Amino acid sequence: MSLQEHYRSQARELLAAGAVKMVVGYAEGTTPERRRPVFITEPEECSRLVLDARCRTNLAGYLLREGLLSDGREIAVYLSTEGVRTINILAAESQLSSAQVRILGFEIDRDEVKAMEGKRAADFSEAILAHKERRKKQAPDELAAKLEAMNAAERFTFWQGEFSRCIKCYACRQACPMCWCRRCVVDNNQPQWVNTSSHTLGNLEWNLVRAFHLAGRCVECGNCGRACPVDIPLHLLNRKMTGEVLEAFDHYPGMDEHQEPALASFRKDDPETFIL
Amino acid sequence: MARIGVFVCHCGENIAGRVDCSKVVLALENHPGVSVATEYKYFCSDPGQEAIKKAVREENLTGVIVAACSPRMHEATFRKACAAAGLNPYLCEIANIREQCSWVHENPDEATRKAIEITRSLVEKVKRNSELHPIEVPVTKRALVIGGGIAGIQAALDIANAGGEVVLVEREASLGGHMAQLSETFPTLDCSQCIMTPRMVEASQHPNIRLLTYSEVEKVEGFIGNFRVRVRLKARYVDPAACTGCGDCMQKCPQKKIPSEFDCGLGKRTAISTPFAQAVPNKPVIDSRYCTYFKNGKCKVCEKVCQTNAINFEMEDEFLDLEIGAIVVATGFQVQDTALYGEYGYGRYADVVTGLQFERLASASGPTAGKVQRPSDGAEPKTVVFIQCAGSRDPAKGVPYCSKICCMYTAKHAMLYAHKNHEAESRIFYMDIRAAGKGYDEFTRRAAEEDNAGYIRGRVSKLWEENGRLVVRGADTLLGRPVEVQADMVVLATAMVPQPDARELAKKLGIGCDDYGFFSEAHMKLRPVETATAGIFLAGACQSPKDIPDSVAQASAAASKVLSLFSRERLEREPVIARNNEATCSGCWGCVLACPFNAIEKKDLTDRSGNVLRRVASVNAGLCQGCGTCVTFCRSNSIDLAGFSEKQLFAEVMGL
Amino acid sequence: MSEPFEPKIVAFVCTYCTYAGADLAGTSRLKYPSNVRIVRLPCTGRISPMFILKALQKGADGVLVSGCHPGDCHFDHGNYHARRRWTVFNSLLQFAGVPEERVRFSWISAAEGRKFAELISEITEDIRRIGPFEQYHALIAETGSPAPL
Ligand SMILES: Cc1cc2nc3c(=O)[nH]c(=O)nc-3n(C[C@H](O)[C@H](O)[C@H](O)COP(=O)(O)OP(=O)(O)OC[C@H]3O[C@@H](n4cnc5c(N)ncnc54)[C@H](O)[C@@H]3O)c2cc1C
Ligand code: SF4
Ligand code: SF4
Ligand code: SF4
Ligand code: SF4
């Protein structure tokens, strides 16, 4: 049985038995290339669930929709390692209880989907640890390496070009499972820290602030970059931050649901080479 | 509409010599929101302050900027003046144009320009200041002292003698702590129990002290002046009100072979017992771990012999809730588990003992009635080897620090032993002799010069048994050669370590521990008896290794802190504290975790019928110290700091 | 440009250490360039990265962020939290192309008046040398705000 079939039948059983009230998964999108999230509550609808290498969206954020989890019932959700880490972060930040999340785990390896065994976020700790080790050794991608090699002025010019296109649609925020604030800092106009004018300056501020807010929290799922209508390489900023907290604080976001947020904790011997 | 007054001070020539104050006035006069701008020679002088007050009243000012010296000099002065004129003091800010301008810049034009900009940006800030009122908290004049060793007793007595109420909580069945276990004490060699027992009795009978022995602190909530503390009174199975302390029960208890904790395992006790003969209160408790009845369901001999029917096997732990104004933590120390020291043979050879065991052997009330006998066969040892720093100053064993008292008590032991046994010979392996203290160096010298203590500088590497004696091999680093000593008994000066549950208690209290588990003071030098949590103080060896004089001194210091707190009906605290916007808070608890003072609590927001809708952060005004660490953490800008609010700082920076 | 370039520098400091250190520089009558504007905060823990962005928006050519040395924080560990934020934000700014010389971080205690004076001199010199932050100024100009001096 393919994994798609296997998870379809699991989803069906879970719904039929009343073990979960909903399954959050993927369905065919508007084009053959696209997959879109579906929210299934009836066992017979489970045949709509698809699972293949095009299922890239991190679905964890959908669990935070207002009131969805407030009845204490469980929801099953298709999650890759990034998604499971997201659950850990959301639990660590008290946005949900991991006990309500029944995981249908998968991993995409090139063009293949593979099952990832486990039901609860805590069952995936080994896979997450392996990811962390791999991440430590990962070299920056081509564009990132190019940027690192530039001087400051060239980098500034690069980002100026990118941010000049930002239309402040906040699709990145909408897509990001970690952007769950009841009120986002840009929506605070008392004071208006982030310049909301449509100029590059405000766009730069917005993107820097969002990247800072995701430092130590971003799981690199790529939702924001995929959402951006003007294709700003947002992942570069977030990856940079992830690399930084990993290197400086040995913090890899979403290891478990008790992990202290990188920026709400410290070690007395944290590195500080740049401080005069 | 803002009506700001700007007062530019010349400070004699100090400011006016470099900054053209008239230009500053001119530049500010027409700044939006400024109603009046003036200059004067010395605004801090009486006429200067009067001028400010007059302007506040006449111009009906809504804010004041004094451009003058550092706020660290006269902010208080000018705020008071504003208050006297009816303006909330927190609507007054200082622009520092002396220390950070006229005194450090040579070019008058540059200095003037900078003074204008500094003042302008603060005008922008003060426009957004809001009235703040000192936070008043009532003070419950009752202190909780945790730990009934010498430090706790001293603190309790000092507070009680000054009229304060004290609840003294001791987890053992008797007061006393380690001092009650000691034989004689350095540097005077007076008998420990002789000086300790009267203190214990005084504490137990003091009308202002409520003594709760065999009790532990379960939970602490609240803040300075207003703690709510829950104490667990452990089941004693003996009604202390009925018990007369006659001891019949202890005579008859069939469980007679329990190693006595008080005697460090060298003596035996019964299952119903007091820790030691002079215990205060002198009323036994039943140790259910050993009691035949609790183990087998049969016995109750004690119940039968007790004339006053004090025994009650049905007793259960009880809880007591207390309102407390201040807390003194005096939970003392432990000696390190010597099992870590394989090389010294502790636990393997009966005649290798700890310093504390030696105290019991030398104590007139100890298991040998003060005769130093070796545990293995009761023989009197001829040669005793003492090993100092057994554990201390050894990073590999987790105790890199110096335990401070071992040099002294080892010298004491050698002396006591020499006094008891005139043919005695003692050899002391040491790393350094650290005898700083009044009469201390003289004391260690006396041990060497008059009481025949042979000091060998070096570490011991190995210890083994040979023909019924112990052989100690070490290095004499002064002579640069190995030494071997045959000994009848070996005494280890084991390290002083924190109580094993110190971290747990610290968590309950919301105070900090150092890397080892000793409680952290608020400032090593300037606030050595306070903790970072207002209203909680430290005394004795729970903060760092200490001898008795230091423990007592710190206890009295802690008591004086408590008493100065109790000298007032209400506490006034700076209103520069964080506040949370419950509407926007997402309850992520990042601020809760980041706050250095555990000042942020989780609060339920409920609907009218009491259902919890969501939980949000809520700042405890009694605990918040106003650092703003939480504000910077909060991504959604929900939490803010009064006096340095987001709006104020935004305006200040944008006014630059 | 006829006049020599005088950079605008904004310093965000905690009141207990660096602010007091700056006061000490004053009481010791040390001299340093007048380019710096100091914003006083209760603790480094209160210094938000937003302040840095707003200073840049107001045309700062350089920013200094400074507080008590590790272990000396009046609030026990506000500066340890600050250090983590700085580590992250510093790296972010550099990645975004803000030159390292423009945003500096330091520990300056209440006793280090001399360090304060020397650091301000050094930073001012550095920034005089690299010139105005023109790339940022160009962004500001776009918004229609008056160009920074
Ligand atoms: C072998 C040896 C010899 C020494 N000789 C000398 C000497 O000659 N002269 C000298 O000046 N000093 C000497 N000292 C040091 C002396 O013992 C200490 O300075 C002194 O006992 C410290 O007193 P304290 O009250 O801080 O701690 P402790 O004596 O340890 O008392 C702490 C008390 O708190 C209680 N407690 C602990 N935790 C809790 C809790 N959670 N709740 C309630 N109660 C709790 C304990 O049961 C204990 O009663 C010696 C120490 C040793 C080890
Ligand atoms: S950008 Fe920051 S404030 Fe806005 S939603 Fe995301 S995390 Fe929250
Ligand atoms: S999705 Fe892209 S365009 Fe929209 S706000 Fe984010 S970065 Fe800007
Ligand atoms: S950090 Fe902000 S959002 Fe999070 S709990 Fe605190 S106040 Fe609420
Ligand atoms: S201002 Fe400081 S002390 Fe007060 S709640 Fe925030 S972090 Fe805690």
Side-chain angles (χ1 to χ4, degrees):
Chain A
M1 203 178 0
S2 72
L3 189 60
Q4 167 168 302
E5 278 310 316
H6 180 59
Y7 278 178
R8 269 185 194 167
S9 66
Q10 272 204 18
R12 222 174 267 129
E13 281 166 28
L14 287 166
L15 281 171
V20 303
K21 67 167 180 179
M22 180 190 278
V23 177
V24 184
Y26 303 92
E28 303 274 359
T30 41
T31 66
E33 285 306 302
R34 289 244 179 107
R35 295 288 172 259
R36 62 184 183 82
V38 276
F39 306 89
I40 289 182
T41 49
E42 302 303 328
E44 42 291 1
E45 285 178 56
C46 288
S47 49
R48 291 172 58 200
L49 289 164
V50 296
L51 185 57
D52 57 27
R54 298 187 192 108
C55 298
R56 298 272 172 181
T57 306
N58 177 356
L59 300 178
Y62 290 107
L63 298 174
L64 296 185
R65 294 207 160 164
E66 189 80 40
L68 192 56
L69 291 169
S70 57
D71 59 2
R73 295 196 54 197
E74 286 185 31
I75 292 183
V77 51
Y78 282 62
L79 294 176
S80 63
T81 322
E82 287 72 29
V84 179
R85 286 167 55 209
T86 308
I87 299 297
N88 281 333
I89 295 175
L90 296 178
E93 295 179 343
S94 299
Q95 300 305 304
L96 53 67
S97 149
S98 62
Q100 272 178 272
V101 185
R102 172 70 166 79
I103 295 169
L104 298 165
F106 67 95
E107 220 164 1
I108 298 178
D109 188 3
R110 282 170 234 280
D111 288 329
E112 253 186 274
V113 268
K114 290 187 194 149
M116 222 178 19
E117 297 300 327
K119 287 185 179 151
R120 302 286 168 200
D123 302 338
F124 296 85
S125 51
E126 263 173 49
I128 296 175
L129 195 64
H131 269 241
K132 176 180 177 182
E133 291 311 314
R134 218 176 315 141
R135 181 64 176 83
K136 277 189 186 163
K137 293 185 206 102
Q138 214 166 57
D141 70 14
E142 207 179 318
L143 186 51
K146 216 174 89 191
L147 266 173
E148 297 278 7
M150 291 178 181
N151 67 28
E154 290 164 345
R155 270 203 298 275
F156 197 92
T157 308
F158 169 85
W159 285 113
Q160 187 175 353
E162 295 296 332
F163 294 147
S164 69
R165 304 200 313 276
C166 172
I167 53 172
K168 288 238 187 66
C169 63
Y170 304 131
C172 45
R173 176 180 79 184
Q174 191 64 29
C176 175
M178 251 57 81
C179 271
W180 40 253
C181 296
R182 290 180 73 83
R183 176 192 64 187
C184 175
V185 62
V186 279
D187 299 329
N188 179 14
N189 57 5
Q190 297 268 8
Q192 187 74 59
W193 283 120
V194 180
N195 204 318
T196 46
S197 72
S198 57
H199 303 102
T200 308
L201 179 69
N203 300 345
L204 167 93
E205 288 178 351
W206 156 243
N207 280 288
L208 291 187
V209 167
R210 206 184 86 86
F212 181 67
H213 284 184
L214 287 159
R217 305 168 70 230
C218 171
V219 294
E220 306 175 284
C221 65
N223 274 12
C224 55
R226 281 187 295 270
C228 180
V230 294
D231 293 328
I232 298 174
L234 296 170
H235 69 280
L236 289 178
L237 289 171
N238 296 328
R239 285 187 63 81
K240 176 72 190 173
M241 291 293 88
T242 304
E244 185 65 42
V245 290
L246 186 57
E247 193 183 305
F249 318 131
D250 192 35
H251 183 99
Y252 191 59
M255 293 300 290
D256 59 61
E257 60 173 311
H258 303 292
Q259 189 181 32
E260 293 189 342
L263 293 189
S265 51
F266 65 87
R267 287 217 329 250
K268 287 194 174 166
D269 58 353
D270 280 335
E272 55 165 58
T273 47
F274 64 99
I275 303 177
L276 303 168
Chain B
M1 243 319 263
R3 302 180 54 81
I4 310 296
V6 178
F7 303 90
V8 184
C9 181
H10 292 187
C11 194
E13 280 297 291
N14 279 302
I15 294 172
R18 203 51 51 80
V19 170
D20 184 337
C21 295
S22 309
K23 268 199 184 156
V24 178
V25 169
L26 220 56
L28 268 300
E29 236 167 19
N30 298 317
H31 189 81
V34 174
S35 306
V36 38
T38 60
E39 54 189 306
Y40 186 68
K41 215 167 178 50
Y42 290 107
F43 271 115
C44 61
S45 67
D46 280 345
Q49 293 189 43
E50 278 313 313
I52 297 177
K53 289 184 204 167
K54 191 158 163 261
V56 168
R57 283 194 216 99
E58 289 178 359
E59 302 284 330
N60 215 351
L61 297 180
T62 60
V64 163
I65 295 292
V66 187
C69 53
S70 171
R72 298 169 64 249
M73 299 293 300
H74 277 310
E75 184 179 73
T77 315
F78 294 122
R79 286 189 163 175
K80 235 198 229 150
C82 288
L87 183 72
N88 183 286
Y90 295 92
L91 299 177
C92 166
E93 296 273 354
I94 310 298
N96 182 346
I97 61 167
R98 190 179 75 173
E99 282 83 347
Q100 299 183 3
C101 188
S102 68
W103 277 353
V104 288
H105 305 316
E106 283 179 298
N107 180 317
D109 292 338
E110 284 177 14
T112 305
R113 184 175 148 203
K114 178 170 171 181
I116 293 172
E117 288 184 21
I118 295 176
T119 312
R120 216 163 36 200
S121 88
L122 280 158
V123 168
E124 286 308 310
K125 179 184 186 201
V126 84
K127 284 189 199 166
R128 276 96 182 157
N129 278 23
S130 33
E131 292 194 1
L132 301 178
H133 301 278
I135 295 158
E136 288 210 344
V137 285
V139 178
T140 305
K141 296 186 184 182
R142 184 180 302 117
L144 170 72
V145 177
I146 311 175
I150 185 59
I153 293 175
Q154 182 69 37
L157 284 173
D158 282 358
I159 298 167
N161 285 336
E165 251 186 78
V166 179
V167 179
L168 175 54
V169 172
E170 164 59 54
R171 72 163 157 216
E172 301 299 334
S174 170
L175 288 176
H178 284 97
M179 190 172 160
Q181 289 174 281
L182 306 182
S183 52
E184 263 109 85
T185 52
F186 65 72
T188 44
L189 294 189
D190 36 6
C191 141
S192 188
Q193 290 211 327
C194 311
I195 53 178
M196 185 63 172
T197 315
R199 289 291 171 99
M200 290 165 32
V201 172
E202 191 186 345
S204 74
Q205 295 178 349
H206 201 292
N208 287 348
I209 299 180
R210 177 167 183 191
L211 176 60
L212 302 174
T213 52
Y214 215 49
S215 300
E216 275 176 65
V217 170
E218 191 75 7
K219 197 162 90 186
V220 179
E221 285 175 342
F223 51 90
I224 182 168
N226 300 273
F227 295 104
R228 288 181 306 280
V229 178
R230 169 164 288 197
V231 177
R232 177 194 290 269
L233 311 175
K234 294 184 278 189
R236 326 167 72 101
Y237 307 108
V238 176
D239 176 1
C243 170
T244 59
C246 68
D248 287 351
C249 51
M250 298 197 264
Q251 300 271 315
K252 295 280 155 35
C253 176
Q255 295 284 349
K256 294 202 175 347
K257 295 245 159 81
I258 306 164
S260 152
E261 292 80 2
F262 185 80
D263 284 334
C264 306
L266 296 173
K268 304 277 183 259
R269 66 164 172 93
T270 43
I272 184 165
S273 66
T274 55
F276 52 103
Q278 302 81 351
V280 172
N282 194 9
K283 305 199 171 169
V285 298
I286 296 181
D287 186 340
S288 60
R289 292 170 306 166
Y290 295 102
C291 167
T292 326
Y293 171 74
F294 280 105
K295 288 205 297 195
N296 307 334
K298 274 205 287 278
C299 179
K300 294 201 175 180
V301 169
C302 48
E303 195 181 64
K304 280 165 216 140
V305 299
C306 180
Q307 308 260 338
T308 63
N309 291 325
I311 314 275
N312 173 4
F313 285 97
E314 306 306 314
M315 246 185 216
E316 279 178 11
D317 289 4
E318 280 171 34
F319 294 94
L320 195 64
D321 288 315
L322 301 163
E323 304 273 316
I324 295 291
I327 301 176
V328 177
V329 189
T331 50
F333 66 101
Q334 283 298 328
V335 291
Q336 194 181 21
D337 179 3
T338 324
L340 279 171
Y341 295 89
E343 63 267 46
Y344 301 147
Y346 185 81
R348 209 156 7 115
Y349 308 122
D351 295 335
V352 178
V353 300
T354 68
L356 202 52
Q357 285 177 316
F358 191 86
E359 295 283 346
R360 294 313 300 144
L361 292 174
S363 168
S365 67
T368 55
K371 242 175 147 188
V372 177
Q373 296 173 339
R374 10 193 266 174
S376 60
D377 56 6
E380 259 190 273
K382 290 271 159 325
T383 307
V384 179
V385 165
F386 294 90
I387 303 177
Q388 289 196 182
C389 298
S392 301
R393 303 172 67 193
D394 185 353
K397 297 276 156 63
V399 183
Y401 56 85
C402 164
S403 289
K404 204 171 167 189
I405 55 163
C406 321
C407 289
M408 288 300 294
Y409 77 60
T410 300
K412 172 182 78 174
H413 290 169
M415 283 162 99
L416 291 179
Y417 174 50
H419 298 171
K420 285 174 192 287
N421 182 339
H422 298 292
E423 286 140 57
E425 190 195 4
S426 45
R427 311 292 296 275
I428 304 175
F429 282 90
Y430 74 105
M431 280 164 70
D432 300 287
I433 298 297
R434 297 185 165 175
K438 191 166 173 172
Y440 283 15
D441 197 53
E442 297 90 317
F443 185 82
T444 50
R445 277 178 198 289
R446 217 162 76 217
E449 288 160 12
E450 291 173 24
D451 287 316
N452 201 21
Y455 277 92
I456 305 166
R457 182 169 186 162
R459 279 238 176 207
V460 168
S461 55
K462 204 165 174 225
L463 191 154
W464 67 94
E465 209 172 32
E466 216 171 85
N467 309 326
R469 295 192 84 191
L470 295 162
V471 187
V472 184
R473 177 188 291 161
D476 185 330
T477 53
L478 291 182
L479 299 177
R481 61 167 193 229
V483 277
E484 257 182 42
V485 185
Q486 305 256 330
D488 303 303
M489 187 161 137
V490 171
V491 183
L492 304 179
T494 35
M496 251 172 143
V497 296
Q499 294 282 5
D501 58 345
R503 280 177 206 282
E504 217 177 290
L505 183 64
K507 219 168 151 195
K508 273 186 208 160
L509 292 162
I511 64 175
C513 281
D514 64 16
D515 291 347
Y516 314 114
F518 290 112
F519 299 130
S520 302
E521 57 288 311
H523 191 286
M524 280 251 205
K525 282 138 276 182
L526 300 178
R527 297 168 69 197
V529 303
E530 291 152 270
T531 64
T533 303
I536 304 188
F537 307 98
L538 302 175
C542 62
Q543 182 235 3
S544 70
K546 278 191 192 68
D547 58 19
I548 297 164
D550 283 359
S551 300
V552 170
Q554 199 189 13
S556 290
S560 86
K561 291 280 171 195
V562 172
L563 291 168
S564 84
L565 178 64
F566 286 1
S567 68
R568 284 169 298 173
E569 295 305 318
R570 328 190 112 254
L571 269 179
E572 277 205 353
R573 307 204 44 231
E574 274 278 299
V576 177
I577 57 160
R579 291 177 189 159
N580 189 23
N581 179 347
E582 293 175 351
T584 57
C585 171
S586 309
C588 71
W589 315 138
C591 55
V592 174
L593 203 65
C595 173
F597 303 98
N598 292 322
I600 308 179
E601 293 156 5
K602 302 174 184 177
K603 174 179 157 189
D604 291 338
L605 292 185
T606 51
D607 63 12
R608 277 206 213 108
S609 34
N611 304 315
V612 179
L613 298 175
R614 49 192 187 91
R615 302 182 80 198
V616 293
S618 164
V619 178
N620 184 324
L623 289 175
C624 173
Q625 307 280 316
C627 65
T629 301
C630 54
V631 182
T632 309
F633 177 81
C634 183
R635 291 177 285 270
S636 65
N637 272 188
S638 292
I639 205 158
D640 206 348
L641 186 66
F644 291 92
S645 71
E646 296 280 275
K647 269 197 242 175
Q648 284 171 292
L649 287 164
F650 181 85
E652 183 175 347
V653 179
M654 296 305 274
L656 279 172
Chain C
M1 222 189 289
S2 54
E3 271 183 54
F5 161 62
E6 282 303 336
K8 176 168 176 175
I9 296 167
V10 178
F12 297 101
V13 306
C14 78
T15 189
Y16 287 97
C17 289
T18 304
Y19 194 88
D23 274 358
L24 179 63
T27 33
S28 324
R29 306 298 198 279
L30 303 174
K31 298 289 177 260
Y32 56 84
S34 67
N35 307 55
V36 65
R37 304 287 173 268
I38 296 176
V39 178
R40 183 170 71 107
L41 287 317
C43 173
T44 46
R46 177 69 186 92
I47 303 177
S48 154
M50 296 311 301
F51 300 171
I52 301 176
L53 292 182
K54 292 299 105 171
L56 292 174
Q57 185 190 338
K58 287 301 287 184
D61 302 292
V63 174
L64 171 68
V65 179
S66 182
C68 313
H69 288 267
D72 289 354
C73 178
H74 176 82
F75 298 101
D76 214 49
H77 54 247
N79 58 354
Y80 289 120
H81 284 289
R83 183 170 62 186
R84 282 212 161 181
R85 295 168 185 152
W86 300 352
T87 303
V88 168
F89 201 64
N90 184 40
S91 138
L92 180 60
L93 285 178
Q94 288 186 30
F95 192 64
V98 175
E100 189 175 5
E101 298 87 338
R102 298 208 183 269
V103 182
R104 311 301 293 265
F105 301 85
S106 70
W107 306 128
I108 296 177
S109 78
E112 293 175 321
R114 183 161 297 281
K115 180 171 177 187
F116 182 82
E118 285 170 0
L119 188 63
I120 297 298
S121 307
E122 184 188 316
I123 292 179
T124 312
E125 257 332 295
D126 282 353
I127 296 181
R128 277 190 189 132
R129 204 179 52 246
I130 61 173
F133 196 177
E134 269 156 5
Q135 284 184 306
Y136 219 90
H137 295 181
L139 296 187
I140 303 166
E142 250 179 49
T143 66
S145 301
L149 302 169

